[in-house]
Amino acid sequence: MQHNYDKICVTRHKNLPTLLIEKGIIDESTPVFSFVSEGDIIGKHVIGILPLYLASKAALYTEVPLRIPFDKRGRDLPAAELGFHALTIHTFKIEEIN
């Protein structure tokens, strides 16, 4: 199913956008943020990593889970290595019910 929401990418991994471009998930024009507030994501398709309370404010949320070994955390890893540590990418529509 195709959705036409504006996309933004949220990540602190500087090379993750490169990986997402290579996979066709975002393109070069997709805005990339290290941090966002609720106002930045309302009505948008957010790709990256967000806490659930923020993800529930987005129109769609594509989680890019990374399982990075402890000894490599806190470093800028190349896109290929991030891809190696990436788990399956899923898109969700999250709704707060309370």
Side-chain angles (χ1 to χ4, degrees), residues 5 9 11 22 24 27 29 32 43 45 55-56 58 62:
Y5 300 108
C9 178
T11 181
E22 289 171 1
D27 61 34
S29 67
V32 178
H45 180 171
S56 72
T62 297

Side-chain angles (χ1 to χ4, degrees), residues 52-63:
L52 284 175
Y53 78 93
L54 274 179
S56 72
K57 307 303 179 189
L60 293 174
Y61 171 55
T62 297
E63 179 186 34

Side-chain angles (χ1 to χ4, degrees), residues 7-72:
K7 290 182 179 181
I8 66 169
C9 178
V10 180
T11 181
R12 288 184 274 164
H13 298 281
K14 79 173 193 174
N15 292 316
L16 186 62
T18 301
L19 175 66
L20 297 175
I21 291 167
E22 289 171 1
K23 290 183 170 285
I25 296 170
I26 65 172
D27 61 34
E28 293 84 5
S29 67
T30 303
V32 178
F33 298 91
S34 296
F35 298 95
V36 290
S37 67
E38 186 176 312
D40 297 321
I41 65 171
I42 290 176
K44 295 185 178 155
H45 180 171
V46 179
I47 297 102
I49 302 167
L50 284 179
L52 284 175
Y53 78 93
L54 274 179
S56 72
K57 307 303 179 189
L60 293 174
Y61 171 55
T62 297
E63 179 186 34
V64 183
L66 300 171
R67 185 176 294 153
I68 297 175
F70 186 76
D71 64 323
K72 294 185 179 190

Side-chain angles (χ1 to χ4, degrees), residues 52-96:
L52 284 175
Y53 78 93
L54 274 179
S56 72
K57 307 303 179 189
L60 293 174
Y61 171 55
T62 297
E63 179 186 34
V64 183
L66 300 171
R67 185 176 294 153
I68 297 175
F70 186 76
D71 64 323
K72 294 185 179 190
R73 292 182 186 176
R75 292 193 267 162
D76 287 326
L77 301 177
E81 192 167 351
L82 284 173
F84 177 78
H85 296 300
L87 302 176
T88 304
I89 297 171
H90 294 280
T91 298
F92 301 92
K93 178 148 182 65
I94 300 170
E95 179 181 352
E96 183 176 348

